[in-house]
Structure formats: C-alpha cells, structure tokens
Amino acid sequence: MVKKTVKKAAAKKPAAKKTVKKAAVKKTVLKKPAKYVYSFGAGKAEGNGKMKELLGGKGANLAEMAGQLKLPVPPGFTITTEVCTYYWNNKRTYPKTLKADVETSLKKIEKITKKEFGSVKNPLLVSVRSGARASMPGMMETILNIGLTEKTIPGMIEKTGDARFVYDAYRRLIMMYSDVVMEKAAGIEPKDGEGIRKVLDSMLGDLKKKLGVTDDTHIPAEELKKLCAEFKATVKKVLKKEFPDNPMEQLWGAIGAVFASWNGKRAIAYRNIENIPHDWGTAVNVQTMVFGNMGDTSATGVAFTRNPGNGDSHFYGEYLINAQGEDVVAGIRTPSPMNRWSANAHSAHLPTLEKVMPKVYKELDAIQKKLEKHFHDMLDIEFTIEHGTLWMLQCRVGKRNGTAAVQMALDMVKERLISKEEAVLRVTPAQLGELLLPAIDPKAEAQAKPIAKGLPAGPGGASGLVVFNSDDAIKLQAAGQNAILIREETNPEDIEGMRAAAGILTQRGGMTSHAALVARGWGKCCIVGCSELELDNAKKTVKMGGKTYKEGDSITLNGTKGWVYDGALKMLAAGEGNKNLAKFLSLCDSVRTMKVRANADTEDDAKNARKFGAEGIGLFRIEHMFYGKNSEKPLFILRKMILAGNEDERKAAVNELFPFMKKEIKATMKAMAGFGVTVRLMDPPLHEFVPTLPQKQEELAKALGISMDVFKERAAGLHEVNPMMGHRGIRLGVTYPEITYMQSKAIFESAAELLKEKVKAAPEVMIPLTCDVNEIIAQKKIIRQAYEDVVKAAKVKNLQFSVGTMIEIPRAAVLAYEVAGEADFFSFGTNDLTQMTFGFSRDDIGSFLPEYLKQGILEADPFQTLDQRGVGMLIEHAVAEGREAKPNLKVGICGEHGGDPESVEFCHREGFTYVSCSAFRVPIARLAAAQAAAKDVLARKRK
Amino acid sequence: MVKKTVKKAAAKKPAAKKTVKKAAVKKTVLKKPAKYVYSFGAGKAEGNGKMKELLGGKGANLAEMAGQLKLPVPPGFTITTEVCTYYWNNKRTYPKTLKADVETSLKKIEKITKKEFGSVKNPLLVSVRSGARASMPGMMETILNIGLTEKTIPGMIEKTGDARFVYDAYRRLIMMYSDVVMEKAAGIEPKDGEGIRKVLDSMLGDLKKKLGVTDDTHIPAEELKKLCAEFKATVKKVLKKEFPDNPMEQLWGAIGAVFASWNGKRAIAYRNIENIPHDWGTAVNVQTMVFGNMGDTSATGVAFTRNPGNGDSHFYGEYLINAQGEDVVAGIRTPSPMNRWSANAHSAHLPTLEKVMPKVYKELDAIQKKLEKHFHDMLDIEFTIEHGTLWMLQCRVGKRNGTAAVQMALDMVKERLISKEEAVLRVTPAQLGELLLPAIDPKAEAQAKPIAKGLPAGPGGASGLVVFNSDDAIKLQAAGQNAILIREETNPEDIEGMRAAAGILTQRGGMTSHAALVARGWGKCCIVGCSELELDNAKKTVKMGGKTYKEGDSITLNGTKGWVYDGALKMLAAGEGNKNLAKFLSLCDSVRTMKVRANADTEDDAKNARKFGAEGIGLFRIEHMFYGKNSEKPLFILRKMILAGNEDERKAAVNELFPFMKKEIKATMKAMAGFGVTVRLMDPPLHEFVPTLPQKQEELAKALGISMDVFKERAAGLHEVNPMMGHRGIRLGVTYPEITYMQSKAIFESAAELLKEKVKAAPEVMIPLTCDVNEIIAQKKIIRQAYEDVVKAAKVKNLQFSVGTMIEIPRAAVLAYEVAGEADFFSFGTNDLTQMTFGFSRDDIGSFLPEYLKQGILEADPFQTLDQRGVGMLIEHAVAEGREAKPNLKVGICGEHGGDPESVEFCHREGFTYVSCSAFRVPIARLAAAQAAAKDVLARKRK
C-alpha cells in the first residue's frame, strides 16, 4: 500500500510583483518642463547616440555623427518623442514652449549655413523626417525642400544658377506635401493607387510623354515651372485647399504630419506585428537640405560598411550622379557601384565612385571605417555629395541576412571589434534558421504567383511531384524523386509517407495538427489547413488556383510563408554546407551555460541529434516506435495489448512487445553513448492506435481470438470524451503495472548490455502526466523491482539510473515540493501544461484562437510561444519549490517550446539545467541559450 | 482594440509551509521513558476523559468515570496507544518497562478487589479489550474471563458456589481466546464462517441438541466441564498448540492479540474508509471481570441517556437478567426494556428494570443524569449488575439517527446543556440529509434482497413502476403514479422524463454521468452504471436478478446504497414535514457567517431554493432553458443559431431566441426578488445540442434552408477532439459578440421591467471559462453597451449591475491579481478547475480513478471532495491575489463542491462570501457553514 501523504497542506500565497503589473496601466505624464528640441551640426550636438528613446534612432545617430564623431552632417534639430506623446495625450496640440524652441533651433541652423528660412535672397531649405526608437518602415514620412515658395524661388535660382533644378525641387515638394500633409489632414483615405499623389504623378508622366523625354532631368525649366503652377491648381481643386506658400506653415504642416502618422493604420499594424509599444512615439528631424542633384559633381548614395548579403568585410554600396535620395530607391536609373566589391551583373559596366570621385570616396571610406569602429557593428549609411562636398544624412545598424550575420559575427570577434557575447547576440535565431533549411530561390519566387495559401506549418521550401497517399510518396522517394504529399489531413498511418516526402500539404488541420507537429519535429516543409484545395483522393487529383493537378505534376511549397506555387521553382541548397555554421555554433557553446538536448525517438534521430550538437536526449518517446519504419509488427502487438480482454492476454502481448522495445532503446542509447538519455514511459493515445481499416481490424480480432462484435465492443470501450484528459500517461502504468515493469526491464537490460560492451549508459526513466507524488512512489517500486531483477540476472555492477517526472499537469506544478521529494529530475512538458493551464485543447483551438489573436486578447499562440505570465508562473513556482525540496534537482523542458528562442531564454532565467527540442532545432536552441547567457554577462559588465 | 497588458510579469514564488509537509514523513519516536500504564478504580484514576489520544476512547472514559465521577467502575488499567506504536515500530516487541508496569497495576487491582490473579483460592479474573482513539468496530477484540485455569477453577467454584457458571465462563474463554489469540497467532486466516470458533460453536450446538436445551444456562455443569475438556483437545488438534493454562500467559496473549489486531485486514480497511490515520494505534484495557450471569440478581444491559432513534429526552435501554454482555448483542433472547419509554412491540410484555430492580434502576438513572450533565451529550452506556451491585463498564457518546440528532441538539440548547455553536456541531450533514429525503423503511429493506447493484448517484429511496422512455414516465406521472425510468444512459432529451420519474436507473455511466449530475442537482433518487441490467428497449423489458421486468412492474431503488429491489418496498415520508428541521436550520443561520446561495435555472428552481433558505442564486445557467419543460421551441432556435452558416443567420436566430431567454430570466429574478441573482453567460456544449434523430435533423435543415449534406457538414464542423477544452464558455462570446450582447440585453431588460414593477433586481453578470483578463475587458464593453441601450430605451434610473467571472481555468487562478482588476466577483467553478488542475476528464475517469482510490494514490474522488491540497492551493492563491487587487472582492463557489460539507468548511476558512449549490443541498450547506463558523467560535473560546 502506498503511504499516505499529508492530508491538508494549506495552500500557499505567492507575493505579487506589483511593480510589473501596475506598469501596465501607467500613463506617461510629462512632469517638469522638458527640453523638446535638440540641435546638431558643425561639429556639435546637444544629443548623442544613446538617446534613442528621446530622439529616435535617426536623431540620436545624427547627433552622434555630428557631435561625437565630427562628421559632416547637414545642420538641423530633432523634436523629441515626448512631444509626440504629448501631442496624442493632448488632442493633437504641442507643449507651449515648442514653437519658440523650434524657432531658436532654426536660428542656429541659419547661423551655421549663413542662409535664412524664408529669405528672398538666400533661402534655407529643410527636410522633415520621422524617426522612431525602432525602425518602422510602415510609417516613415519624409518631406523635402521645405521653404520653397513663390517668394524664395527667385533667390534660389539666383543662388544656384539653375532654374530647372529649383523648379524640379518645387514640384517634388508639392507632390510630397500635398500627399503626406494635405491629403491626410483633409481626412481623405485614398485606396491603393489613388489619391493626389497619383494624379500629380500622371500629370508628370503626361508631360514627359508630350516632351518625349524619359529622364526627369531632361524636362526644361520653363516646362517645370508651368507644371508646378498646374500642380498647385490641381491640389486646390482636389483637396479644396491652397498649397501653402508660407515656409513656416509648410514646416509646421510637415511636423504635424509626422506626429499624426504615428497612429496611422499602417503604423499601428506594423507595431502590432513587431510588438513595438504604442506609447513610444516618434521624433521629428528637421535638417538643412543638401542636394545630390545639382549636376555632375553632385550625387547621392546608400552604403553598408560590410556586404549585407554575404558578410564580406568590404565597403559596399551604390550611388547615382545628379540625383536625390528617392531616385536611388525609385529604381528608374540603375545605380552605380561604390567600388569593385559592390558591382553586380547589372552594374558591373558602370563607373565606381572610387574612380569617378576618388577624393570623396576616400573621405567616405575613412568615415565608414570610423563609424564601424565607433559603433562596433555593420552600418547602413546614406550620404549626399553636393558640388563635390560630402554630407552624411543617416547611419544605422544595417540589416543583413543569415549568412552575412554569421560571417560578420565571426569576423568581428577575430578583429576584436566585439566580444564573443556580443557576437552571439548579432545573429537572430531566424537568421540562423536561414542557414539550416532548403529554400526557394527568392528571385524565382518573386516572379511566381501562389496558386493557394495555407498555414506555414513547417518552414523552408520544397519542390516535387504531387502524390496523394503515403505509399506513392515512398515509391517516388525510392525512385530518387521528390514527392509532395497531399492529404485531407494526416494520421499516424501516414508517417512513413510523410517521412519520404519532400514536402507535405494538407487541406485541413491547424498549426498543431498531426501533420504540423510531425513536420516541425523533422524540420520538414509543410503547409496545413489549405482549405481552398479541392481534393479528390479517388481520382488522385487536386484543384488549386483554377488548375487541376494530377499525380506526378510539379508544385513547389514555401512552408515559411504557407504558399503553394505551380511547377518546380529553383531551390537554394540547404545551409548544412555553410562553413561558418559549425564555427559560429561552437562560439555559442563557449558562451552558454545551459545544456541543450534533443527529443529523439530512434537510433537515426539520435545520430542526427548528435550531428546537430545535442548533449543527450531529453525525451525519448517509447511509443514512437509504433510510428516509424519497421513498425508494422510491434504496432500489431501493441494493438493486441491495448485490446486485450484481461490481464493474462495483456501480459502476453507485453512480453511479446519486449524484444522490439529493447532493441529500439538499446540502439538509441548506444548512438548517444556517454550522454544522458531520458526515456519516457509510454504515453500512447489508446484509441488512436485502434486500427480503422476493416482488414486490419479483422486480422487483429483473429489474433485475439475474438469475434468482430467483441472487437468493436472493446474498441468502443476505449473511446473517450476528452482523450487528452483521459486514461493516458502514467495512469496506464497505475492501472497496468505490468506495462511499466516491461518498459523498465527493457531500459535496464539495454543499459546492462551496453555496460558489458563498454558503452557508457545511465538511463533516466521519466514518468509522464504525473499529478500526485504517490503516482511516482507507486511506479518507482515497479521500476526498482525491474532494476533489481535485471541487475541480478545480468550480474552487472555500477548500473546507474535515475527516475524523474514530467511536470505537465498543473497540480504537479502546484505540489512540486512534494513531487520533488520523490523525483530526481523535472522535465516540463509545456505542451500539455499549456493545454491544461489555459483549458485549450491543442486540436480544437482553430475555432477561436485566431479571433483571440486578432482582437489582441492574447498576444501570441501559447503553443508557439510559452505563456510566461500564466504557464510561466506555474513553472517558476515549481522550479523554486522543487529546488527547495531538493537543491540539486535537475530541471529541463521538452516539447516544442524547448526550441523556441524566447522560451529558451525564459528557461535560462529560471535556472533550468537543460532544454530539449527536436534535433533540427538544436542549433537554434544552442544559439538562444548562448544569447540568454550573453545577456547576463553583458548586464553584469554594464553594472 | 483591446489594450495590451504587461508582456512579461515574472512569475511569483509562494512560500512553502514546510512544517505541514514534513510532518508527513515524521516518524513517531519515543524519546523519554514514558508512562505506559494508567490504573483506575475505587474512586481514583491516573488518567482522565481528555486523554483519548493516549488511553483510547474507552480507557479515557473509564478513567473519567472512576476518577472524576466516582462511579462504580470495576478496577483495571489501560495500556497506552504509544505501546501499540512501539509494538509496530519495533518488530512486535514491547518497551522494556512494560512488564513491570503491568504487574504493578495488576497488584493495585488485587488490592482493591482483594482477589489475586492466578490464586487457587480467590482468583481474580480480568477482561482484555481494545480501545482506539476513534470507535473502530471493525477491529474490536475482546477476551473475557482471563485467569481461569485448571488451578483457579476450583477456587472460583468454591467462591461462587456455582460450577455451571464457572465452566460456562471457562468455555467462553476457550472459545474467544482460541479464536482471537491462538488462531491469529498461528497465522491462520479462515474464510468467513470457518475457523476454530466455528468448530467450537457447532460442538456447543451439538451438545445442546443432544441435551434438548435451547438456552446455554440450561446445560448442566458436568456437561460443560466435559465440553471444556473437549474444546481444549480440539484446539490442540486444530491449532497444533495447547490452550494456555497459565493466567499470565493468557493475559499477555490477549494483550498482544489486541495490538496485533490494529493492523488486521478489517481494521486497515475500516480506517481507510473512515480516514483514520494508521499511526494512531490502539490502547488495551485490562479490567476486573464482573458477572451479569450469576443468577437472577445479576443482569447486564446497554442504555442511552436519550432515545437515539427519535431524540426523546428519556432514559432508554434494554437489559437481560442472568446474562453476559455478548448475550445482549447475540439476539437469542429478547432483551427487556429499561423502563416504559424503552418498550417496543417485541418487548412491551417484558418486565422493566425499573420494576424488577427498582433500587438499582434508581442508581443507574442518577448515574445517567450525572453522565449527561458531565459530558454535555447523549451517552451510550454499558453496565452489569452482579448480585444486585451495579457496575459501569463503558460510556461513550451515543450514536443517533438524524431525527434524534436534531431533536437532541435543539433540546440541549433549550436545557442550556450546550451552546448553539455546540448544537450545530451535534448534527452531521449526513444526519441532516436523512431528514431531507424520502427513504425506504429500514425494516422493510432489511428483509428484502437486492436484485441488482449500481452506483449510488442520487440518494434517497424511490419506489414505482418501470418505464423505458421519457414519454412513458411523463404519462405515468400525469396519471398520478410513480415511475422508475430505466435507460441505457440518459441525455438532454430525457430531461423531462427524468424530472417526471420518481427514480432513475441507468445501465451505463459513472458518478458524474449526465443522469448522475442531473439527479444530484434535483436531489432525485438515482442509480447509474448498473451494468448487470439486461435491457431491451424495443421489447420494453429489463432482466435483473434472474427475473424479467416489463413496463409497469414494480421495483424499488435505494439511491443511497445503489441497490435495486423487487416490488414496492414500504417508504418513509420525506423529512420536509419534520417540525424541527426549520428550527434547527434557523439555529444554524444564527451561527454561520458565510452566505448560502443556490444554483437555480428556472422560476420553479428559484422558488424551491427560497423554500430551502437560499439567499440568492449563485449560478443561473442560461443554457438550461434548453433542457427543461417547454424547451422544444427555444431549443430549435438555439440549434439554428449553432448551425448558422454566417453572421446574419446567427444574428437572426439570436434575435429569435431573445424573448424566450428574457422570459426565463425575468421570471427567475422575480422569484428571487430582493436577493442577488448571478446569471452566467451561456456555456453550451455546442456539439451536444446538434440533434441526433434524423427527423429533427431534417426539420432543422429545412428551417435553415440547407440540404442534409450541408447540414451534416456543418454538424461535423462542430465536432471537437476534446470538447471540454474547446470552443465553449466565453470563447463563444469572443467569437460571436452578438450572443453576449443579446444575453446581456435580456438580463438588463428583465431587471429594468422588474424595477418598474417595484421588484428589487440587481443582476450579476458572470463570464464563464475566463483564462485572461482581456477576455473580461472585451466582454464588458459589449455588456456595457447592452446596458446603456436598455437604460436609454427603458428610461430607468438606478439600474444596478455587476460583472464578475468564473474562476475555473487554472490560468485565471494564477493570474487572479490581474483578473480581479476587472471583475466585481469571483465564483470558483471547482468542477472544471478540478478537471484542468488534475488533467482529469470527468467523463473519462472511470477507467483509472477507481484504481487510484484502491491503491491509495488519491484519498478521494476530487470531483466529490474538493482537493484542498492542489486545487485548494490555486483557490487560496486566487482569493489572496484577488483581494489584494480589490479588497472588497466578492468570492463564491458554484458547482457540486458548493454543497459538500468539507468543501464548505474550506470555503469558510478561505474567507468566501458565499457558497452556492443545488437547491436541495442548501440546508446541508447552511449546516456546514454554521459548523465551520462554530468551530471558529469554539476555538477562540478555548484560547
């Protein structure tokens, strides 16, 4: 009899972390009269690069470049993000002092540039640009050439001696301003491709057509002047408002437009996607105009301090002579390469800046070197050359792809530019993922149109021939061809075909359907829930995008996006060949403190896991031997066990199963020699294993010696209303102790034989679905008995083992103190724990979770990203209580969250011993664990 | 858009209550030399009545009677329970000092009695009896007449002058000792009805037959002497051991037998059932023998200080002249009544003790009065009269039935014998329950044999005519007859028939099946899972106990036991007529501090609940209007809503449903006028509402204007793998806001109309299945909108309402601090909370929970008795956190635990505002709440 534990341990009260909670409702209040405007230019700056919260990324870096680095930055000023917050909290008004501050700052610019805003003779023109704390391409508003009016134009023409240039600048101002400021202020929300901008664009186009020119610069000044007048008339007609002819009105209109754009639809949507808080606000940068379009000694360009496409450590970029920044982006003229390392197929014949303007290039090269040294990262810079003078317009950390990120991180450590902790933080898990998956060539994909869209269940790309069942997929693979398996939805009987296929496409099921789970586990390309498919299994046809595909037709899947394409698109090789991958991961290993194990269920899995750097198996699921290859025989016996009519029949089946089980376990342990292997006792979903095919049912009934009626009755008896919370996990071990005994014996015999073969083996037996410590006590007796029987029979010494438990039932987490008293380790099964804690059935969330995400009720799918607040609180409680009962308690996580970077960081913070995830996620987990440790180290250094 | 809450509130660590936990593994260690033996007798005692832990109940009360009350108690001594613990912790050995202590104590007896143990001339005989802290009929061992040996017999004969008496005593000793001591020590475990006792019994029987006597007392001394010799020979033959002829050997054998019996099978089983800790141990009482069988001036009897059957405050009992205690129990002779109040149909003709021995009776009557005054309770006493001298052998608090318990509690308060707090603790919830249910007459039941046994799902008794479907049950009820509805299992379509039937009997399903839940809710007699039934619905027959019953045949159910009887057994009237019930409950109300509400779903329910004393409705389930009478039309519309193909169709159905819903809500609120009504938004199990009958399906398809194919597709779309964790509760309100709006409108319009009718109404809207505070925020917007629309249209002022939430998902309990910020009240749904916390599907526990209980892994079915350690810890956390966020947070419980006394006490301790349970459980909850409060008061007084 199991000894009783305390009857009524009173519940325990955790202390609330009120600060964090209450922060949620905190309103930003501006308490003291703040400084709202920061000037920069002429080697000085009121701000600096660390003030991104106040000045935005762009403003802070402009100040840093101007003030700290003394680089040639056109003088200007930044209006802070606090003004944006004020603006939105105070019915779109500004702090009282702002007007005077802006005017003062404008005076400073005038003093430096010796020009005057609104002056008839020597007018100052400025640009107005947004600049938030984080880069937000969705909301960026820019207005150039502010200050051009009927009055100032003559002065500008006189000053530059170039009427064409001035009217070109004026028509640009009208186009931008009428669109960004006036149309928005009028509350008009044109559809895509409509609106004032479009109207003016087509007027410009008509003019060029009439004149027979393709290049804007070839329009004569007089024609541009006329066009500007027509533009203004059109603006007035369409927007019912005069285009402002007052420089100050233009300036404030532009500033207001930037603040207003912070809560534009696109901006809000972007922030929701990128998880950027809505209360950050944007800054506004007002800066002296410099012109790259003042003739052949002027130019404008964009450059990176290293190649963002492959990471080569050469200065890289492109430029256009006689152009403004927007011309580079517009793509009408082909930009020229900065230098020989920047040339590509399209631009190789064009002259480099290095050759055309060697002096300026040399200056720019020196600046980029200085910037990289200063910022310790690869930078993306924008510059303009006005009459041979170089001006820096912007610098920021440059975006890069995975290959480049890894290359740069390694190079910069070698160059002693950054520490290894910084280096591991320079590669995002998504970037590392790029190196690990086959993918469609982005160029080929850009030209193709998807024929169907589903849910992106397994990332990467796959191209192959359509098949409609598992057998055909296997045949095709055997014939050396790629198969794309299309099913209504998959079930365990499809496993072999799924493994054989290059990609999987299902009509039904969600992100956690069988197909999705299996595919993610294997890192296989998979699209699920593609409901627009019209599937006809009998005829072996599928209709997508209006076309009917039959067996053997080619299609391509992008599992990262969930898109399906017609035909075989060009593929990129998987990154396994990337020479830097192993180097970078071993850099990660040198930083991280948490172990990374793999979930592996077969010898092959285990070998694969070792290849990916797994330090042991965190989850070996015995029942997966009934899915894999050569599973027919053991599956048949398992079914006999499940459908046994009494204990004797069950014991007979259990004994019959024994050799198969032992073989799998031993082979896997051998493949992981020297590393820990956690073998979880069976948690088979009983009713799922009952065969559905009549022929299989009859075979089984025959083997059991029962009629089909009895068979059906027994099968019906296994039906459960809520199988997820039914007779599974250790509940089977409690009701059928012989099953636990047989599994334990298989584990210990395997280990004993390996020890005799001089292979290290110390199995860790894991009990699933525990809800009470008494379950562990009862099971340990059986496990201990099996151990003693094996040791006695095999005559081995020093056979070590441990017994631990999954923590996947809320009650086990709540009562962790008691549970830890009987467990050598905890392994959090966050899939089930999330199910029970939320009361969400993973199989059934499809009908409501999308709405929860859409409405923002939940921030993320808790099965994708660990719910750190709710489920996480239970985990923290369990770890703390567990370690209090047993300070050396080993704590790990298995299940899909084990490979999710945010969750890995959470595990690191909670002091986990290890995370375990599917083999192909191991590199990601190694990186995530390293990043979590690196953050600790850097935070300590900062103190 | 719903505002986002904090992203990462770090989890919180509760402090462990280590003392309680660690107590579990504490071993009882005897540190200092303890006093192991306590003497009593001749007006003195070393112990007293408060020392039950050490001396057991019997020993403590013997000491109290002898020492404190100076009553005539045969001198003796008690060996403490610590010796029992020592015995079991030390391989069945005794503390070293025990032998000497026993001998010393024996000397004291000898001194008082002037007899000598083992003396040839004047031998002392003693009895040895067990006596645990709690009464344990399953293990009680008693051995009388110890000290009779070949040597002492002659002395006894000489002393008593009655050889027959002495040999009769000897044969009794041999019979008891050989059975209780010798057979057990030999490790023999005879089957029921076998063993040495049986052998000796039949020898005695044979002798009586041979002599032609029926009464033992008529066997001549010589025959008895011979029989004793034969007995001893038989004992030696059967048990391979000589019957001990040494008094000391007899004594230690008997003592050891008592200690050994503590861990006998029956004793362990009894303790498991009664939740008595296994480490308490038993005491042993050794006491001078007194004899009620020494002729016509001797007698023995059992009495109660008040009538235990009806509570009348008269001395009550029975006695036998010339008999030993066991003869009273054996039932061979009919005992005579103590006095006229004790006479019954069998004994009315027999002479009372009052008449036969008036002096002794007077003495005894004085003693019983003294005892009641001393112990403040009704006592059960055993006495013996030896040659006209009265001896008190035992006294203990007397068992009583429900009627008597209530009567005594009320009387004793009136008599100022006990306080009202003590009074409410004198009636157990089970006893109160007896007064509330119709029941089979126990006498009739004692003579009947069950024809089938199932699970006791709904308590009480019911007798009626067998019917096999709902309609027939309704017809029978309409004809004024009782129906017993027999179904394979029930579903919502059977509801009307279940309501009409007097009792329900199902072949399948467990304690939480549909039938069981519904029946318990109504307090209706119900037996489920009676698998031995052979049911033929087509023929309308059922086979039970070998007999085939057809429609209209009589059977009787005992729902408290789960037994089925043939024919119509005599029934007792339900206790509603009991005049004391209302008085006692109002006594309870004056003691309790926690409110008691009812779960009620209809106007009738509400009226019923008021009758039972409910102070409001804690749970009004809107969806139950689709089960009850007149539900056909609304159910049809609900089905249209569920199977709607788009939002417009759904809205149309929702609007159509509105008047029905409002009518139900308004009528219920009116019936509860002045009391709070918590209306829970619908939580319908969607797929359960899809009709299964083809005809109903076709009607519905027609109403929806869709084909049967489309209908079936939509119905299939509602299928869920784990419906318990699927698209239900507030998730429906999130995906279909119009459903929340319509319900809110129905609630507020009802309240508004009632206000105009001068009926008090302040509805409490309850959100079900909440897992995140954002769900509440989103739903409150809709509810608030409905409120404003109603208030505006109805032009009412002062329409009050509140919005709260169920706490039934672990995550809501974990994040209670946040949730409370948006909720006016919490109502714990412990059914679902238990399901999710354990990961137990209530519908599927049948396959493993019985094994968990059998093995002692869990102490109780957590759906019956709240799991205070696990689920309770979450509740305590949630209440503490919720009240921290909102100190005046109203906290309640609804669901079945709300009517479970232990759970009610838990709720009281946790500071709940109210409990809510099904109407017929309200009296039980009132009692339980009063008992919890009374314990507080008494504990404070004790300090």
Side-chain angles (χ1 to χ4, degrees), chain B residues 279-296:
Chain B
D279 60 1
W280 276 6
T282 182
V284 175
N285 298 292
V286 178
Q287 201 175 7
T288 309
M289 282 299 303
V290 289
F291 297 97
N293 55 345
M294 290 186 92
D296 290 347

Coordinates of all heavy atoms in Angstrom, one line a residue, chain B residues 279-296:
Chain B
D279 N -1.4 5.5 12.0 CA -0.3 5.6 13.1 C -0.9 5.9 14.4 O -0.1 6.2 15.4 CB 0.8 6.5 12.7 CG 0.3 7.9 12.4 OD1 -0.9 8.2 12.6 OD2 1.2 8.7 12.1
W280 N -2.2 6.0 14.6 CA -2.8 6.3 15.9 C -2.5 5.2 16.9 O -2.2 5.5 18.0 CB -4.3 6.6 15.7 CG -4.6 8.0 15.3 CD1 -3.7 8.9 15.0 CD2 -5.9 8.6 15.3 NE1 -4.4 10.1 14.7 CE2 -5.7 9.9 14.8 CE3 -7.2 8.1 15.5 CZ2 -6.8 10.8 14.7 CZ3 -8.2 9.0 15.4 CH2 -8.0 10.3 14.9
G281 N -2.8 4.0 16.5 CA -2.6 2.9 17.4 C -3.8 2.7 18.4 O -4.6 3.6 18.5
T282 N -3.9 1.5 19.0 CA -5.0 1.3 19.9 C -4.4 1.1 21.4 O -3.3 0.8 21.5 CB -5.8 0.0 19.6 OG1 -6.9 -0.2 20.5 CG2 -4.9 -1.2 19.6
A283 N -5.3 1.4 22.3 CA -4.9 1.1 23.7 C -5.5 -0.2 24.1 O -6.3 -0.8 23.3 CB -5.5 2.2 24.7
V284 N -5.1 -0.8 25.3 CA -5.6 -2.1 25.7 C -6.1 -1.8 27.2 O -5.4 -1.3 28.0 CB -4.5 -3.2 25.8 CG1 -5.1 -4.4 26.4 CG2 -4.0 -3.4 24.4
N285 N -7.4 -2.2 27.4 CA -7.9 -2.1 28.7 C -8.0 -3.4 29.4 O -8.7 -4.4 28.9 CB -9.3 -1.5 28.6 CG -9.3 -0.1 28.0 OD1 -8.8 0.8 28.6 ND2 -9.8 0.0 26.8
V286 N -7.4 -3.5 30.6 CA -7.5 -4.8 31.4 C -8.3 -4.4 32.6 O -8.0 -3.4 33.3 CB -6.1 -5.2 31.8 CG1 -6.2 -6.5 32.7 CG2 -5.2 -5.5 30.5
Q287 N -9.4 -5.2 32.8 CA -10.3 -4.8 33.8 C -10.9 -6.0 34.6 O -11.1 -7.1 34.0 CB -11.5 -4.0 33.1 CG -12.3 -3.1 34.0 CD -13.3 -2.3 33.2 OE1 -13.5 -2.6 32.0 NE2 -14.0 -1.4 33.8
T288 N -11.1 -5.8 35.9 CA -11.7 -6.9 36.7 C -13.0 -7.3 36.1 O -13.8 -6.5 35.7 CB -12.0 -6.3 38.1 OG1 -10.9 -5.7 38.6 CG2 -12.5 -7.5 39.0
M289 N -13.2 -8.7 36.0 CA -14.4 -9.2 35.5 C -15.5 -9.0 36.5 O -15.3 -9.2 37.7 CB -14.3 -10.7 35.2 CG -13.6 -11.1 34.0 SD -14.4 -10.5 32.4 CE -16.0 -11.3 32.6
V290 N -16.7 -8.5 36.0 CA -17.9 -8.6 36.8 C -18.9 -9.4 36.0 O -18.8 -9.4 34.8 CB -18.5 -7.2 37.2 CG1 -17.6 -6.5 38.2 CG2 -18.7 -6.4 36.0
F291 N -19.8 -10.1 36.7 CA -20.7 -11.1 36.0 C -22.1 -10.7 36.1 O -22.7 -10.6 37.2 CB -20.4 -12.5 36.6 CG -19.0 -12.9 36.3 CD1 -18.0 -12.7 37.3 CD2 -18.6 -13.4 35.1 CE1 -16.7 -13.1 37.1 CE2 -17.3 -13.8 34.9 CZ -16.3 -13.6 35.9
G292 N -22.8 -10.6 35.0 CA -24.2 -10.4 35.0 C -24.9 -11.7 34.9 O -26.2 -11.8 34.9
N293 N -24.2 -12.8 34.8 CA -24.8 -14.1 34.6 C -24.6 -14.9 35.9 O -24.3 -16.1 35.8 CB -24.2 -14.8 33.4 CG -22.7 -14.9 33.4 OD1 -22.0 -14.2 34.2 ND2 -22.1 -15.7 32.6
M294 N -24.7 -14.3 37.1 CA -24.6 -15.1 38.3 C -25.9 -15.3 39.0 O -26.1 -15.2 40.2 CB -23.6 -14.4 39.3 CG -22.2 -14.5 38.7 SD -21.0 -13.9 39.9 CE -20.6 -15.4 40.8
G295 N -27.0 -15.4 38.1 CA -28.3 -15.7 38.7 C -29.2 -14.6 38.5 O -28.9 -13.6 37.8
D296 N -30.4 -14.7 39.1 CA -31.5 -13.7 38.9 C -31.3 -12.4 39.5 O -32.0 -11.4 39.3 CB -32.8 -14.3 39.3 CG -33.2 -15.5 38.4 OD1 -32.6 -15.6 37.3 OD2 -34.1 -16.2 38.8

